[in-house]
Amino acid sequence: MSEVILKGIKKIYDNKVTAVHDVNLNIKDKEFIVLVGPSGCGKSTTLRMVAGLEVISEGEIYIDGKIMNDIAPKDRDIAMVFQNYALYPHITVYDNMAFALKLRRTPKAEIDKKVKEVAEILGITQYLNRKPKALSGGQRQRVAIGRAMVRNPKVFLMDEPLSNLDAKLRNEMRAEIIKLRQRIDTTFMYVTHDQTEAMTLADRIVIMKDGYVNQIGTPQELFNKPVNLFVAGFIGMPVMNFFQESKLLLENGVYYAEIRGVKFKLSDFQQKALKRKNQKATSITAGVRPQHISVGSGDLSANIEVSEMMGTEYSIHAMCGNDEVVIEPVNNT
Ligand SMILES: Nc1ncnc2c1ncn2[C@@H]1O[C@H](COP(=O)(O)OP(=O)(O)OP(=O)(O)O)[C@@H](O)[C@H]1O
Ligand SMILES: [Mg+2]
């Protein structure tokens, strides 16, 4: 059992910057939670409070029902992997991984067993006798993860662990983390500003902006039911198109979006949601996913500016009045 609860968490730094406002989050045992949001939104600060590396200004953090506010980092049973994983350069991979266990005076045979077991899981057995400088970026990152794993933490914290890697390695390591997660029974809190990482890794995503949590939900919930324009624009690739100066119309009990004078009937889900709120007709910004626009002889006209072919997919950049529109036709063939 390693449940993590954040209750009314707030962080005010010494310079009076409020980096995190009132974060409430119940992380279930073995859940993989991803904190995502733009630079400066308070992701690292939140994680560092869970780790005990920052003082909590207000609120409480519980791990397994025990309040952690005044517990030292080393006694919290957590492990953290950072972006700049800072391995000890003068000792071998083996010793880097064994370091924390030696500090805890773990018996030698037990250390040896644990290091070898974790190295096997991460595919770094053949590098155990090398020094970090003789490893590639991806291999070093594995060692950093291994160093955290040997401690069998209750909670695994990761702050942008892949952002130092090139795109190809990042994709590979992302898959590694998914596999890793299936092999170790731990609760994860993972920080990234990359929505693809968030969408592919998370059981639930916590999306933050300016120190506030905007929405908490599964990747599908955030994609299909964003609560505001920020979430709608942050989640999904390519990003959602926004048509300014659109209208919400209500005619004979049926809702339509009017974009540049053209009427579109809204989906059943949207009809129900709007009816429940008893929403009146109003002016809106209409959001449409690139995958939900097709090119043909419809009523809405746009000027195609660029068409990009990317193997099996292609995307079209067009101007619809003053609105830039990206279209990614779904290939059904
Ligand atoms: N030690 C500090 N003292 C004062 N302000 C800080 C400190 N650390 C962070 N901040 C501020 O707190 C806010 C949140 O910072 P934080 O590092 O948590 O953001 P982040 O979401 O992790 O961003 P990034 O994606 O760039 O890593 C920022 O405005 C930052 O400038
Ligand atoms: Mg950060």
Side-chain angles (χ1 to χ4, degrees):
M1 272 291 290
S2 359
E3 208 180 52
V4 182
I5 297 175
L6 280 68
K7 214 166 152 186
I9 289 301
K10 190 169 177 176
K11 177 67 188 181
I12 308 168
Y13 280 110
D14 294 341
N15 58 359
K16 307 273 185 280
V17 171
T18 304
V20 172
H21 302 260
D22 194 32
V23 172
N24 291 286
L25 182 59
N26 281 22
I27 305 174
K28 295 189 272 276
D29 185 35
K30 302 187 184 32
E31 195 175 18
F32 199 118
I33 285 282
V34 177
L35 302 182
V36 72
S39 184
C41 71
K43 306 178 295 291
S44 295
T45 302
T46 305
L47 207 67
R48 291 171 61 82
M49 285 191 280
V50 176
L53 302 172
E54 293 290 349
V55 173
I56 301 163
S57 308
E58 268 179 41
E60 285 122 38
I61 291 178
Y62 298 87
I63 298 178
D64 278 352
K66 256 179 68 184
I67 189 158
M68 287 292 131
N69 291 47
D70 297 321
I71 306 281
K74 67 175 177 44
D75 300 322
R76 290 192 186 193
D77 230 344
I78 45 146
M80 186 147 169
V81 178
F82 299 91
Q83 171 186 348
N84 49 353
Y85 28 79
L87 300 172
Y88 303 111
H90 303 299
I91 58 176
T92 62
V93 166
Y94 184 100
D95 289 331
N96 263 282
M97 288 172 66
F99 198 84
L101 298 180
K102 277 186 187 160
L103 278 185
R104 284 196 206 165
R105 303 188 193 288
T106 309
K108 237 181 169 161
E110 204 177 302
I111 294 180
D112 194 61
K113 182 164 170 276
K114 194 73 209 177
V115 169
K116 286 181 177 158
E117 184 186 300
V118 169
E120 198 60 37
I121 291 177
L122 293 170
I124 49 176
T125 305
Q126 66 269 47
Y127 310 123
L128 282 174
N129 293 322
R130 288 200 199 168
K131 301 247 173 82
K133 69 171 186 301
L135 299 178
S136 72
Q139 290 160 348
R140 281 181 214 170
Q141 193 55 290
R142 275 167 224 249
V143 178
I145 293 172
R147 195 170 54 170
M149 268 172 73
V150 294
R151 297 167 48 194
N152 272 346
K154 274 190 186 163
V155 186
F156 217 122
L157 307 178
M158 296 180 146
D159 193 351
E160 310 244 9
L162 308 186
S163 60
N164 270 348
L165 308 177
D166 66 37
K168 183 167 171 283
L169 250 176
R170 211 159 51 222
N171 281 345
E172 283 173 23
M173 283 301 290
R174 207 171 63 211
E176 291 288 328
I177 289 175
I178 295 172
K179 281 195 255 167
L180 177 68
R181 192 264 162 106
Q182 290 160 353
R183 299 187 64 164
I184 59 173
D185 275 344
T186 307
T187 306
F188 280 84
M189 278 182 89
Y190 185 104
V191 163
T192 180
H193 59 266
D194 179 324
Q195 70 91 36
T196 310
E197 261 175 48
M199 292 294 278
T200 50
L201 291 173
D203 290 328
R204 283 190 302 156
I205 295 175
V206 177
I207 179 163
M208 296 180 72
K209 180 173 180 259
D210 300 332
Y212 289 94
V213 171
N214 276 227
Q215 190 169 0
I216 301 174
T218 63
Q220 281 309 311
E221 279 166 355
L222 266 60
F223 187 82
N224 292 327
K225 302 174 195 170
V227 294
N228 58 28
L229 285 178
F230 168 70
V231 177
F234 197 88
I235 299 289
M237 275 297 272
V239 298
M240 186 186 272
N241 297 298
F242 293 118
F243 296 90
Q244 312 293 334
E245 292 166 24
S246 299
K247 287 183 191 139
L248 179 72
L249 307 176
L250 177 58
E251 293 173 2
N252 302 320
V254 181
Y255 288 98
Y256 300 85
E258 188 189 284
I259 300 175
R260 304 191 63 74
V262 181
K263 254 168 62 177
F264 298 89
K265 190 178 167 195
L266 295 178
S267 68
D268 288 350
F269 167 74
Q270 288 162 326
Q271 300 287 346
K272 279 189 201 133
L274 291 164
K275 265 194 195 113
R276 212 176 315 127
K277 286 207 293 191
N278 199 17
Q279 179 65 51
K280 303 270 183 296
T282 181
S283 51
I284 55 167
T285 297
V288 187
R289 297 250 178 236
Q291 298 84 355
H292 296 162
I293 303 177
S294 55
V295 180
S297 51
D299 296 320
L300 194 63
S301 64
N303 290 322
I304 294 181
E305 306 213 309
V306 181
S307 171
E308 294 171 316
M309 183 67 193
M310 292 162 292
T312 55
E313 283 163 23
Y314 69 102
S315 66
I316 295 165
H317 296 251
M319 287 305 290
C320 184
N322 293 328
D323 295 309
E324 245 185 271
V325 184
V326 177
I327 305 161
E328 198 160 85
V330 177
N331 196 346
N332 290 321
T333 56

